[in-house]
Amino acid sequence: MHQHGTLDNHHQEGPQSHKSLTLEDIWRAIELDQFFPYYQPKVKLRGMEPVGVEALMRWRHPERGVLSAGAFLPLIADNFLFDELAFIMLEKSVAQSRAWQKEGLDIIISVNMSPDLLHDTTLPDRIAAIVTEHCVPMQRLIIEVPESSIARGTDDVLETLTQLRVKGCGVAIDDYGTGYCDRAQLERVPASELKIDRMMLAGASRRPLLRQQLEHSIDIARELNLAAVAEGVESPDEWDLVNELGVDMVQGYFIAHPMAGEDLRDWLARWSVDPFV
Ligand code: G
Ligand code: MN
């Protein structure tokens, strides 16, 4: 069995002396069920109607509080623990979807998938099994895959994504603009949505070259019949810009920060009365 020496040492040192997190800490935290999703709303630009949420990984660390994925994802990016965590997020998100469904909330959930798992052509069946078990329609789920994972677009990855689409679930190309997919590669991917990374948006209202690149991404989405989502919209300026350029959906701190599942209902109620408050 694995040992928990690192974590034990850490306990003795108290919260001030933060040692680097290790894979062992993460493994232990999985066993203790400390990972859970927060949900960040995504709204349609026209009419500003909330249409979905993205499930974002959080770690309820006993001493450090709630940690964002940035604090530990680099550690597991190329590790099987990422696969493990992706499935934990999927399972919990689908359970949350069922709970919202029972409250009458019709919300589509996007879940980030570990790139390694896309090579496994049994993935669509495994996902479908979880979704069916919770009596949630596949149409309520979008699987997000980073652009970088499809740039190497091998046949098994394309087969996996095709099967997901056949089963009714959406596929989003995530972090678009950071993964260097060319047009021909993108065309082969059976996606439904293009999530344009904040990197393309930040500064685009002041810098013509960035703005051009952003416009180009939106054009590509349109030509490939993908819904264009602007990610990481933080300010009124950025909202105005994506409004002017005409994306389909918007996600980012300007709309809402990621929140606990039980807080979504209240957020939706406030948003419907007075957006951006
Ligand atoms: O890679 P992916 O797009 O799945 O990651 C989304 C990440 O971006 C999350 O960690 C989320 O907390 C963060 N995020 C969400 N909205 C904003 C935003 O408006 N600005 C910035 N800088 N980050 C954001
Ligand atoms: Mn994502």
Side-chain angles (χ1 to χ4, degrees):
M1 280 302 285
H2 41 269
Q3 313 213 321
H4 305 305
T6 316
L7 194 73
D8 292 341
N9 290 343
H10 178 80
H11 271 293
Q12 285 156 17
E13 286 163 12
Q16 293 311 312
S17 53
H18 280 170
K19 292 178 67 175
S20 306
L21 295 163
T22 67
L23 283 177
E24 217 176 292
D25 295 336
I26 291 177
W27 184 243
R28 176 93 177 124
I30 289 175
E31 291 188 330
L32 294 172
D33 195 26
Q34 291 173 348
F35 290 97
F36 65 103
Y38 264 13
Y39 302 92
Q40 186 175 41
K42 182 173 81 178
V43 302
K44 265 193 188 147
L45 191 91
R46 306 256 168 275
M48 299 197 292
E49 175 202 355
V51 280
V53 293
E54 177 176 359
L56 296 163
M57 212 187 303
R58 293 292 185 270
W59 177 358
R60 193 170 311 188
H61 193 284
E63 288 133 30
R64 303 183 193 194
V66 175
L67 302 179
S68 294
F72 55 89
L73 213 55
L75 205 59
I76 57 165
D78 292 317
N79 191 278
F80 80 98
L81 285 180
F82 192 9
D83 305 355
E84 198 77 25
L85 282 169
F87 260 84
I88 292 171
M89 287 309 111
L90 178 71
E91 180 102 47
K92 294 194 174 185
S93 299
V94 171
Q96 179 66 72
S97 175
R98 176 67 180 157
W100 283 331
Q101 200 172 295
K102 283 180 173 161
E103 292 181 49
L105 296 181
D106 186 6
I107 288 286
I108 293 172
I109 298 192
S110 300
V111 176
N112 294 286
M113 197 35 69
S114 155
D116 288 346
L117 283 175
L118 302 178
H119 296 286
D120 173 6
T121 48
T122 69
L123 181 72
D125 283 335
R126 291 166 64 199
I127 291 176
I130 292 174
V131 170
T132 311
E133 189 191 324
H134 289 275
C135 305
V136 170
M138 282 294 261
Q139 286 74 12
R140 290 266 168 87
L141 183 68
I142 298 176
I143 295 296
E144 297 200 359
V145 299
E147 183 194 14
S148 56
S149 71
I150 51 173
R152 312 183 281 272
T154 51
D155 289 344
D156 50 358
V157 171
L158 295 177
E159 171 63 19
T160 299
L161 298 179
T162 302
Q163 283 309 316
L164 283 170
R165 296 285 282 135
V166 167
K167 289 178 188 301
C169 129
V171 168
I173 300 170
D174 202 9
D175 306 327
Y176 182 67
T178 66
Y180 313 106
C181 250
D182 63 32
R183 168 74 192 252
Q185 287 168 319
L186 274 185
E187 262 171 21
R188 299 178 61 206
V189 181
S192 49
E193 192 172 291
L194 192 69
K195 296 192 87 172
I196 301 167
D197 197 81
R198 160 150 186 90
M199 215 184 73
M200 288 212 160
L201 182 67
S205 56
R206 295 180 307 277
R207 295 164 64 185
L209 190 64
L210 285 176
R211 185 194 159 107
Q212 237 174 43
Q213 285 172 345
L214 181 62
E215 279 178 326
H216 184 61
S217 303
I218 296 169
D219 287 345
I220 285 185
R222 200 150 295 136
E223 286 163 26
L224 299 184
N225 205 19
L226 304 173
V229 184
E231 269 202 307
V233 173
E234 287 183 355
S235 66
D237 276 3
E238 290 168 359
W239 172 275
D240 289 345
L241 178 67
V242 295
N243 190 13
E244 187 190 329
L245 299 183
V247 299
D248 299 293
M249 289 173 270
V250 185
Q251 188 183 326
Y253 298 156
F254 187 58
I255 291 103
H257 283 255
M259 64 186 81
E262 60 267 27
D263 293 336
L264 186 73
R265 168 175 279 284
D266 283 351
W267 179 83
L268 287 168
R270 285 198 305 276
W271 179 264
S272 71
V273 175
D274 209 349
F276 305 120
V277 175

